[in-house]
Amino acid sequence: MSRYGPNKHDVLIVGGGGAGLRAAIAVAEYNPNLSIAVVSKVYPMRSHTVSAEGGAAAVIKPDDSFDDHAYDTISGGDWMCDQDAVEAFVKEAPDEMLQLEHWGCPWSREESGKIAVRPFGGMKVKRTWFAADKTGFHLLHTMFQTTLKYDPIHRYDEYYVTSLLVDEGRCQGVIAIELATGRVEAIAAKSVIMCTGGCGQVFPFTTNGNIKTGDGMALAYRVGVPLKDMEFVQYHPTGLPFTGLLITEAARAEGGHLLNKDGYRYLQDYDLGVPESEPVLKSMELGPRDRLSQAFVKEQEKGRTINGEYGSYVYLDIQHLGEEVINSKLPFVRELCLKYENIDPVEEMIPVRPVVHYMMGGIDTDIHGATTLDGLFAAGETACVSINGANRLGSNSLTELLVFGARAGKAAAEFATEQEGFSSGLEALVSDEEKRIDNLFFSNGKGSSERIATIRDEMHQTMEAGAGIYRNETSLKESQEIIQELKDRMQNISIQDQSYTFNTELVAAFELTSMLDLAEAIIQSALQREESRGSHQRSDFTERDDDNFLAHSMAYRTEDGLPSIEYKPVTITRWPPGKRVYGQQH
C-alpha cells in the first residue's frame, strides 16, 4: 500500500544527525516559506552524532590562526584534502561554533569564563572546543531543540529510505518505509540532502553504532553519483576490544599514556611526525590517528601486545591524572569503562585496540555540497567534500557537520526555489520500488539456508583481514572475490519475519545490501591506489607517490562487475605537498 500526494516538500533531508539538523536550520533561515522534511531511520536524538566525545575544532585563541588550522588539516590528510574546501572550512568554523553557543551549547570554560580548548592529535596548537567529554551529545541536543522553533520543519521519524526518486535528470525525493506500519511511501521534494553518516559497520570492530551502515552513500552510488576516496578508512587507536566503543582522544589530550604488555610507552619507538621540541604535541600519544593505529600493528607483530578473548590490545593509562580531572573532564570515559569493562580508570588501566572510526571518503560533492546529480546534495561523514583527505584530524568532524551542513542547506534551498514542480514520472518509480520491496519481503529466497547474520559476519571477517590497517594486492583481491560471492548469495536470503510492524530483519537486509556495495567500492579503490598515504597503507607499495596518485579516486557503480575507478586532481591552492611533519614551520 502506498500513499503519494500529501508528502511533497521543497527540501528533503535524509538523516537527523548533526549535519541534517544544521542543514534543516539553514534552509529555514534562508527562506522561512519553504517546506522542509527531515527523514530519519531513528529518532534524531539517537543519531550517531550524539556519541561524539572529544570536541570540535575552530580557531578562537590569539596564538592560533586560520592558516595554522588549514595547514594542520592538509598535512594531517597527507595532502589529499581539497585546499579550497579546507580554507572555507577553517574560516567559517568559529562563527558556526559561536552560533551554537548562542543556541545554548554548554561549552566547557576556563576560570576566566572564556571558552576552554584542549589539544588534539595532529593539531599544532590547542584549538578543540569541548563540553566535558560529551560534546556530540550537547551539540545534537542544542540543534534539535533549535529546530523545534521552525514550523516549516516536518519530521519523518523512523522511516527507512530505500531509493531515490530520480526523473528527468534530477533527484525529486525518496521512497521510504514507515517502520511502525511497513507502509511504503513516496516523499517528493525539489531537492534532497544526504546526511546519513558513515559506514563503519562494514567492519567488525568499530566505534560506529549499528545504524552506521552507509545507506546514503549506497543510495547515491546506485543512481550514478561517484563515491570519492573510499579507500581511506580511519582506525581510531583507542576503542574497547569487545564493544568497539570509543575511548575519546581527549583521554590522551589530557595526558593519558599508551603502554604495551611490558608497561612501556612504545610510541617513542615510532616515527609519528611529532618533534620532541613541539610544546603542545610533546606527548607521543597525540600523534595522528593513522600512525598510532599502524604502531599498534607493529607492536602486535613484535609480540608486545596483550592477547585477549576479543583479540590483541594494549593499555591506555590515565590513573596519574587523578580522580578530580577524570571526573571533571573525562566523566563519560569513566562511565563507559565501569559499565562495559567493569574497571575504574581512576585505579586501573583501560584495554584498547584500534577500531574503525570514520570514513574519509563518501559521496562526491563540491564545496557547496552539490553532487553530480541535479537536486542531490550531501554533507557530513556521508559526503566527501574533501577536507579530510587521507586521514581526518580528530575534532574536525563535528565542525564539518556545522560548516558544510549549513552550506548544503543553503545550496539546496536555492536549488529548490528555482524549481517549478515535479515530473509526471514519479508514480511509476514508486510502483517499481514497491514491487522490488515485495519481492524481497514475500518471495525472495524462500527455502534458502542463507541468513543475513551469516553473510554479514563473513563480510566483517573479510574486510578486517583484507582491507584493514595494512593491505596488499593479494589480500585485497582475495577480499574482492569473497565480497562478490557474498553479493551473489544475498540474492537468496530469506526474510523470516513476515510482520509489517518494525520489521528489523527487512531493514537489516537493505542495510547489508548497501554495505556490500560499499565494501566493493572500498576494496576496488584500495586495489588501484598503488601507494601508501595516510590511513591507506599498502605493504607492497610502501611509499607515497605524488606523481601518480595525488588524485581523488572516483568509484562509479557498473551494472555488472566491479566498480569503475577514475581519478580527478586534488585542489592545491597555497600549500604544495611536503613531508608530513607536525609542528614544522610553514
Side-chain angles (χ1 to χ4, degrees):
M1 164 171 72
S2 70
R3 179 164 61 90
Y4 181 74
N7 301 330
K8 289 186 177 180
H9 302 274
D10 292 298
V11 180
L12 184 153
I13 299 157
V14 185
L21 295 182
R22 184 64 188 93
I25 295 168
V27 175
E29 289 176 331
Y30 175 81
N31 185 346
N33 295 317
L34 294 179
S35 173
I36 306 158
V38 177
V39 183
S40 177
K41 69 177 178 180
V42 295
Y43 187 70
M45 283 309 304
R46 294 180 64 83
S47 299
H48 199 64
T49 303
V50 81
S51 67
E53 299 170 28
V59 173
I60 192 68
K61 297 299 183 183
D63 63 342
D64 202 1
S65 71
F66 293 148
D67 279 3
D68 282 345
H69 191 184
Y71 182 83
D72 288 350
T73 299
I74 292 161
S75 61
D78 227 346
W79 274 271
M80 280 295 291
C81 309
D82 283 333
Q83 295 181 14
D84 57 343
V86 173
E87 290 193 76
F89 165 69
V90 301
K91 289 175 183 176
E92 294 172 23
D95 288 341
E96 285 292 330
M97 300 290 278
L98 289 169
Q99 177 65 76
L100 208 63
E101 154 111 73
H102 296 159
W103 287 336
C105 188
W107 298 117
S108 294
R109 297 183 177 275
E110 301 169 350
E111 289 187 8
S112 65
K114 293 182 178 180
I115 295 291
V117 291
R118 60 174 35 137
F120 248 57
M123 297 284 188
K124 185 172 182 291
V125 299
K126 295 181 181 180
R127 68 168 61 95
T128 298
W129 304 39
F130 60 98
D133 58 353
K134 298 183 180 180
T135 308
F137 174 88
H138 290 297
L139 183 148
L140 194 62
H141 266 268
T142 299
M143 284 199 289
F144 180 69
Q145 290 163 0
T146 302
T147 63
L148 298 179
K149 73 179 184 180
Y150 293 103
D151 291 335
I153 298 177
H154 179 83
R155 296 207 322 269
Y156 293 83
D157 294 342
E158 297 182 325
Y159 278 68
Y160 184 82
V161 175
T162 63
S163 67
L164 299 178
L165 288 170
V166 179
D167 196 36
E168 296 182 349
R170 65 186 175 98
C171 186
Q172 300 187 52
V174 303
I175 299 174
I177 300 173
E178 183 183 29
L179 298 181
T181 64
R183 180 171 54 190
V184 178
E185 296 195 25
I187 309 173
K190 296 174 182 176
S191 62
V192 175
I193 311 175
M194 284 294 172
C195 300
T196 53
C199 60
Q201 284 295 325
V202 169
F203 292 83
F205 294 103
T206 175
T207 64
N208 291 187
N210 288 337
I211 61 173
K212 294 285 285 295
T213 52
D215 308 313
M217 293 181 189
L219 289 171
Y221 183 52
R222 289 173 192 149
V223 295
V225 177
L227 298 178
K228 182 164 64 182
D229 292 343
M230 290 297 286
E231 63 269 41
F232 297 114
V233 179
Q234 181 172 82
Y235 278 73
H236 196 291
T238 55
L240 294 178
F242 168 48
T243 60
L245 285 171
L246 174 68
I247 299 299
T248 173
E249 193 161 316
R252 288 175 282 124
E254 297 299 334
H257 298 160
L258 283 170
L259 308 175
N260 65 17
K261 71 175 186 179
D262 302 317
Y264 176 67
R265 286 181 71 186
Y266 60 88
L267 290 174
Q268 61 190 291
D269 295 348
Y270 299 93
D271 176 16
L272 305 176
V274 181
E276 288 295 321
S277 60
E278 174 56 44
V280 172
L281 297 180
K282 61 180 180 293
S283 170
M284 297 171 290
E285 283 75 10
L286 282 179
R289 291 172 176 176
D290 56 343
R291 292 186 177 177
L292 265 61
S293 297
Q294 292 154 22
F296 172 90
V297 174
K298 298 302 183 183
E299 285 295 290
Q300 188 177 30
E301 291 172 352
K302 295 172 184 175
R304 287 160 44 170
T305 57
I306 302 100
N307 294 321
E309 183 179 357
Y310 301 101
S312 299
Y313 62 89
V314 291
Y315 287 117
L316 174 63
D317 188 6
I318 61 173
Q319 297 173 82
H320 54 281
L321 301 182
E323 186 170 8
E324 182 178 349
V325 170
I326 292 172
N327 284 341
S328 63
K329 294 188 174 181
L330 303 169
F332 194 46
V333 167
R334 189 177 189 187
E335 180 182 338
L336 289 173
C337 290
L338 286 166
K339 286 185 175 180
Y340 291 96
E341 294 287 341
N342 197 30
I343 64 171
D344 187 347
V346 172
E347 300 175 348
E348 302 168 86
M349 295 189 292
I350 308 167
V352 293
R353 58 156 289 164
V355 290
V356 167
H357 183 59
Y358 190 88
M359 297 297 300
M360 271 71 73
I363 301 168
D364 176 39
T365 74
D366 67 14
I367 199 169
H368 303 292
T371 73
T372 54
L373 175 64
D374 281 350
L376 183 64
F377 301 78
E381 190 180 354
T382 202
C384 183
V385 60
S386 150
I387 68 160
N388 297 311
N391 172 64
R392 176 178 69 79
L393 293 191
S395 74
N396 266 352
S397 61
L398 287 183
T399 322
E400 179 186 6
L401 299 179
L402 301 171
V403 171
F404 291 100
R407 278 178 162 252
K410 181 181 178 183
E414 290 174 345
F415 183 91
T417 302
E418 296 168 356
Q419 308 307 308
E420 294 183 358
F422 304 100
S423 66
S424 59
L426 296 188
E427 291 194 51
L429 296 174
V430 176
S431 178
D432 290 344
E433 183 66 4
E434 283 184 308
K435 291 175 183 176
R436 184 176 80 91
I437 294 170
D438 284 347
N439 183 57
L440 177 63
F441 198 7
F442 292 115
S443 61
N444 194 35
K446 291 298 172 282
S448 169
S449 60
E450 295 292 356
R451 295 293 179 265
I452 294 168
T454 302
I455 295 176
R456 185 172 55 220
D457 286 346
E458 292 184 32
M459 174 190 70
H460 283 162
Q461 295 166 15
T462 299
M463 294 302 288
E464 181 78 2
I469 295 174
Y470 284 94
R471 306 98 177 258
N472 58 52
E473 182 178 8
T474 300
S475 73
L476 288 166
K477 285 188 173 179
E478 288 175 353
S479 296
Q480 191 174 67
E481 291 176 4
I482 295 172
I483 294 299
Q484 286 182 289
E485 176 192 329
L486 295 179
K487 291 185 72 174
D488 291 339
R489 286 166 55 188
M490 272 297 291
Q491 305 303 312
N492 298 313
I493 63 164
S494 175
I495 304 295
Q496 301 298 305
D497 183 354
Q498 293 291 294
S499 67
Y500 287 100
T501 302
F502 290 106
N503 190 325
T504 55
E505 188 181 11
L506 180 65
V507 172
F510 281 116
E511 291 174 333
L512 182 54
T513 301
S514 294
M515 289 190 287
L516 288 169
D517 278 348
L518 300 179
E520 197 167 59
I522 291 168
I523 291 170
Q524 185 68 5
S525 299
L527 189 57
Q528 292 195 203
R529 182 173 290 278
E530 296 181 339
E531 66 160 356
S532 288
R533 184 187 299 267
S535 64
H536 170 75
Q537 293 293 305
R538 289 281 298 262
S539 58
D540 48 351
F541 295 95
T542 58
E543 299 299 319
R544 194 178 86 187
D545 182 358
D546 289 340
D547 290 339
N548 295 305
F549 290 104
L550 186 62
H552 298 297
S553 64
M554 310 289 284
Y556 291 86
R557 186 172 184 262
T558 60
E559 288 301 319
D560 297 299
L562 299 170
S564 170
I565 307 296
E566 300 178 9
Y567 292 92
K568 76 174 184 179
V570 173
T571 301
I572 306 291
T573 59
R574 298 166 53 201
W575 295 278
K579 186 178 179 182
R580 191 174 161 209
V581 176
Y582 298 96
Q584 71 181 27
Q585 296 299 312
H586 51 273

